[in-house]
Amino acid sequence: MKEFMSVLAEHGGVVFGILGAALAVLLAGIGSARGVGLAGEAAAGLVITEPEKFGKAMVLQLLPGTQGLYGFVIGLMIMGKLNVSMSLQEGLYLMMVALPVGLVGLRSALYQGKVAVAGINILAKNEEHQTKGIILAVMVETYAILAFAMSFLLLSKVVFK
């Protein structure tokens, strides 16, 4: 235990910074995987009977994947701020910066996936109204963009020594 505390005191900043990068990528990625998976299942059901609608269904399936990309970008940006001699406070700050994009991405991608499934149902029943399904799914994206912006702004405002 004594050695662990010594390592934490000496390298805790970079450890928590790495944890922040990992959280941004993992949480948003998990949400995107779930959302894209839900929409993919619905799209697969549609293209069995109407394979010509594959491209339009794929647009709806891809939408929940953006949250994972936002988390990845913030994770990369956090990695750019890491250094072995950073303080514990700096590392904890970087971990907290990851939370908006990670946590919102975890949930919003799932909800966007559910709305994308509804959009695929619109596509299946009335192809001319597919754009309405896309718009409905994009509305959920607004909150992922706000979380990404907050993580980005928090990250770009801090200057470490």
Side-chain angles (χ1 to χ4, degrees):
M1 183 67 167
K2 193 175 185 181
E3 289 116 18
F4 174 75
M5 295 307 286
S6 173
V7 168
L8 189 59
E10 189 173 341
H11 300 293
V14 74
V15 168
F16 280 105
I18 291 168
L19 180 58
L23 285 172
V25 175
L26 289 171
L27 295 174
I30 289 168
S32 281
R34 291 181 70 197
V36 169
L38 285 173
E41 288 178 25
L46 173 62
V47 299
I48 288 171
T49 57
E50 299 179 80
E52 69 279 2
K53 292 183 179 178
F54 173 77
K56 291 180 178 182
M58 190 173 71
V59 169
L60 283 155
Q61 186 204 7
L62 289 174
L63 287 173
T66 56
Q67 285 87 330
L69 294 174
Y70 301 152
F72 183 71
V73 168
I74 295 299
L76 285 176
M77 291 177 70
I78 290 172
M79 285 179 58
K81 298 258 186 193
L82 296 176
N83 72 65
V84 163
S85 62
M86 68 190 328
S87 71
L88 183 59
Q89 291 84 357
E90 290 168 331
L92 287 169
Y93 183 85
L94 290 177
M95 186 182 75
M96 289 184 276
V97 161
L99 295 179
V101 75
L103 292 174
V104 172
L106 177 66
R107 299 304 294 171
S108 68
L110 175 61
Y111 295 133
Q112 191 174 37
K114 291 179 179 185
V115 176
V117 168
I120 290 168
N121 289 332
I122 291 172
L123 174 62
K125 294 176 182 164
N126 195 342
E127 189 171 357
E128 305 85 57
H129 294 282
Q130 179 218 1
T131 305
K132 293 174 183 171
I134 292 171
I135 291 169
L136 293 170
V138 168
M139 293 306 297
V140 182
E141 184 84 15
T142 304
Y143 300 96
I145 292 169
L146 292 174
F148 172 75
M150 181 55 69
S151 287
F152 181 84
L153 290 171
L154 287 169
L155 192 56
S156 62
K157 287 294 180 188
V158 68
V159 177
F160 296 130
K161 303 173 220 160

